[in-house]
Amino acid sequence: MSYQVPRGTQDILPNEISKWHRLEELIRQFTYVYNYQEIRTPIFEHTNVFKRGNDSSDMVNKEMYTFQLENSSTSLTLRPEGTAGVARAFVEHKMYGYADLPMKMYYVGPQCRHERPQKGRMRIFNQFGVEVIGAKSPLLDVETIALGWSFISALGLKDMKVLINTLGDDASRAAYREALKEHFKNDIDHMCTDCKRRYEQNPLRILDCKIDHDLDVMKQVPKMADYLNEESKTYFEQVLEGLDALGIPYEVDDKLVRGLDYYTHTVFEVVSVNKEMGAQSTVFAGGRYDGLVEYFGGPEGMSGIGWAMGLERLLIALEAEGISLVDEDSLDVYVLCLSPKASTTVLQVVTQLRAAGYRTDTDYLNRSMKAQFKTVDRKHAKVAIMIGEQDLESGSAAVKNIETKEKTEVAFDSIVEAIDAMFGEAEEEHTCTCGEEHCTCQKEQ
């Protein structure tokens, strides 16, 4: 019997969770200023939310966790990606009738795919994603890319580049599909099983093959740009002009098709060029989708665009560039209990300090003062309060500033005020008085 986590999953332990909290905090800050609102969809959906028609994607054909309810024909699937569920919710709740379209939404949560686990690729992984549904404009394509680019730039990531392509409109893709079928028809029998399936379902997906990508027939493949109609060309040119205007660097990759069949027009990937990332270098990726809302019963022609960012992979990218998200984890106050008879008073002091907003802890194991001071060091506590049996009689406790080593006697009913004063003085010491609006003195100190 195994009591380990299933393959492809992980525990996020208490000593690791602070960087996840920091990421989530930054996500909410950025989505707020871009005026995106959070949406939360179920962790599982009816299977046909993801398995739509003759879908050629690996996700649908090989990677979904699908199960059937006992004594029922209902088929459900654990959420493998976020876009489909958001589009389904958009239609089900008639958000297309809202006065102020487009709807700008974001989500943060787990996704499930049965993939071969490796660095940066888990079977349960967490994504931050954005979806903008209800309008079609090159400016929205630029805005969504800019949100993600601004986010990773604010984190300090530098070894990044944007790969971008267009799949054009329905007519352009139909012409390109025929060209690809003609191009591959004499070689498809010698290609991998997935490529043979893709040849019949959606030959564009052959361009994404990781097995046959070195074949000569793949190197000589026709370019999508040669099959775009004027409308699609103009749309893509406006997207690139918008990226230029915002100073976002990019490379046009004419073989970029993305892994899901619902994409139209703009598709993109933001990848790390840092060697430490290995094969899983994509940090976030997405594109425009024109038919998804209509598939779920919404208005015809209502378009959307979005992307998803893998948080596990983002953390790997940060580590590869030596970027730490959080400062040293520390306590504000540690209260040492020096006698079992003082435990009730210690609990009262701890509770008062927590109510005042100070991160506080104490000992529950009746350890020696020496052992408790070792915890003060390990927890990087800024203040230590010592309460023993004699302190109960005097009605006061010793309060020690760990940094300055200064120790004072403080009455129990004045401890919160004393801690307020200590932390207030610490803030004043680091406050610059030069009067400059954008002062750098604090950093220089």
Side-chain angles (χ1 to χ4, degrees):
M1 182 179 293
S2 175
Y3 293 106
Q4 297 180 325
V5 296
R7 186 167 181 255
T9 68
Q10 63 176 339
D11 297 313
I12 302 174
L13 301 177
N15 63 344
E16 301 170 329
I17 200 65
S18 56
K19 58 187 175 183
W20 288 84
H21 289 166
R22 181 59 179 151
L23 265 186
E24 291 162 7
E25 176 187 338
L26 290 170
I27 285 169
R28 284 169 172 80
Q29 290 175 0
F30 269 81
T31 50
Y32 176 80
V33 298
Y34 274 81
N35 195 31
Y36 283 61
Q37 295 177 300
E38 186 177 9
I39 184 170
R40 301 186 184 187
T41 60
I43 192 65
F44 59 82
E45 300 261 6
H46 290 285
T47 299
N48 60 6
V49 169
F50 307 111
K51 191 176 181 65
R52 300 175 298 274
N54 190 32
D55 196 304
S56 67
S57 68
D58 286 350
M59 184 198 79
V60 169
N61 285 277
K62 299 192 297 183
E63 297 169 359
M64 296 202 310
Y65 286 98
T66 297
F67 58 97
Q68 199 136 340
L69 298 180
E70 188 175 357
N71 301 321
S72 172
S73 60
T74 300
S75 177
L76 300 171
T77 295
L78 295 179
R79 185 174 63 196
E81 56 102 3
T83 302
V86 173
R88 188 267 311 148
F90 177 85
V91 173
E92 181 174 344
H93 300 284
K94 297 182 171 57
M95 287 188 268
Y96 49 78
Y98 288 10
D100 295 316
L101 291 177
M103 283 293 298
K104 296 182 177 181
M105 298 169 280
Y106 78 95
Y107 58 85
V108 181
Q111 319 289 343
C112 305
R113 297 187 192 179
H114 190 271
E115 299 186 286
R116 183 172 64 85
Q118 54 186 293
K119 181 181 179 181
R121 175 173 286 182
M122 306 290 289
R123 288 177 173 172
I124 298 180
F125 56 98
N126 292 274
Q127 282 187 337
F128 160 36
V130 301
E131 309 293 346
V132 184
I133 307 179
K136 184 176 181 179
S137 165
L139 293 179
L140 280 175
D141 297 24
V142 175
E143 179 185 286
T144 54
I145 296 172
L147 193 167
W149 184 259
S150 298
F151 180 72
I152 63 172
S153 298
L155 291 173
L157 290 170
K158 299 184 184 303
D159 300 339
M160 295 285 159
K161 65 178 179 180
V162 179
L163 303 178
I164 193 167
N165 192 25
T166 179
L167 303 180
D169 59 13
D170 290 343
S172 300
R173 285 194 309 283
Y176 189 45
R177 277 195 295 266
E178 291 305 313
L180 289 177
K181 293 198 80 166
E182 181 65 24
H183 175 75
F184 286 114
K185 70 177 184 180
N186 295 326
D187 296 273
I188 194 64
D189 288 341
H190 307 291
M191 298 176 75
C192 73
T193 303
D194 285 332
C195 282
K196 292 174 183 176
R197 171 176 54 79
R198 293 164 180 162
Y199 182 82
E200 299 299 332
Q201 291 181 303
N202 181 4
L204 273 75
R205 294 282 297 113
I206 296 176
L207 304 183
D208 201 34
C209 181
K210 302 298 187 292
I211 297 175
D212 295 328
H213 66 280
D214 287 331
L215 296 179
D216 288 340
V217 69
M218 294 288 274
K219 297 175 182 178
Q220 301 162 5
V221 71
K223 294 185 177 181
M224 178 78 221
D226 296 333
Y227 296 87
L228 294 174
N229 55 29
E230 287 304 314
E231 181 181 352
S232 297
K233 287 180 181 178
T234 300
Y235 190 96
F236 190 50
E237 287 168 359
Q238 291 175 345
V239 172
L240 299 184
E241 288 170 3
L243 293 175
D244 289 335
L246 296 183
I248 298 175
Y250 61 85
E251 295 177 17
V252 176
D253 182 350
D254 52 28
K255 290 186 179 180
L256 179 63
V257 295
R258 295 298 301 136
L260 299 168
D261 279 2
Y262 50 63
Y263 286 124
T264 61
H265 285 287
T266 309
V267 290
F268 54 89
E269 292 184 359
V270 176
V271 301
S272 171
V273 295
N274 191 295
K275 294 179 181 179
E276 296 296 319
M277 289 293 288
Q280 305 305 317
S281 61
T282 301
V283 174
F284 74 92
R288 178 160 290 283
Y289 43 90
D290 284 350
L292 204 53
V293 170
E294 185 179 352
Y295 169 83
F296 290 116
E300 183 179 352
M302 184 164 279
S303 187
I305 185 169
W307 51 253
M309 179 183 295
L311 296 187
E312 285 86 355
R313 203 170 294 182
L314 178 61
L315 289 171
I316 292 173
L318 290 166
E319 184 179 351
E321 294 195 32
I323 298 170
S324 176
L325 281 182
V326 292
D327 296 328
E328 188 177 69
D329 194 28
S330 64
L331 285 176
D332 293 325
V333 183
Y334 191 88
V335 182
L336 289 80
C337 184
L338 305 182
S339 167
K341 293 182 179 180
S343 59
T344 299
T345 301
V346 166
L347 182 60
Q348 290 173 332
V349 170
V350 167
T351 302
Q352 290 169 2
L353 288 167
R354 288 169 175 168
Y358 293 105
R359 192 179 191 190
T360 308
D361 212 341
T362 187
D363 177 65
Y364 299 97
L365 299 175
N366 296 322
R367 295 178 300 163
S368 67
M369 184 169 69
K370 182 179 179 181
Q372 291 185 59
F373 261 111
K374 287 183 178 179
T375 299
V376 170
D377 293 337
R378 286 194 298 269
K379 297 290 186 180
H380 306 288
K382 300 177 181 69
V383 176
I385 299 175
M386 290 150 278
I387 302 177
E389 191 172 341
Q390 291 180 342
D391 300 302
L392 301 181
E393 298 174 2
S394 67
S396 63
V399 178
K400 181 178 182 179
N401 184 318
I402 300 301
E403 182 178 354
T404 65
K405 309 300 183 184
E406 182 182 354
K407 187 189 293 187
T408 56
E409 286 290 325
V410 178
F412 290 141
D413 57 4
S414 301
I415 283 179
V416 172
E417 290 81 358
I419 299 299
D420 285 341
M422 293 175 69
F423 278 87
E425 290 172 1
E427 288 180 6
E428 286 181 11
E429 289 175 5
H430 295 286
T431 301
C432 181
T433 57
C434 72
E436 293 295 327
E437 183 178 357
H438 301 293
C439 169
T440 59
C441 299
Q442 185 171 331
K443 294 178 182 177
E444 293 170 356
Q445 287 172 0

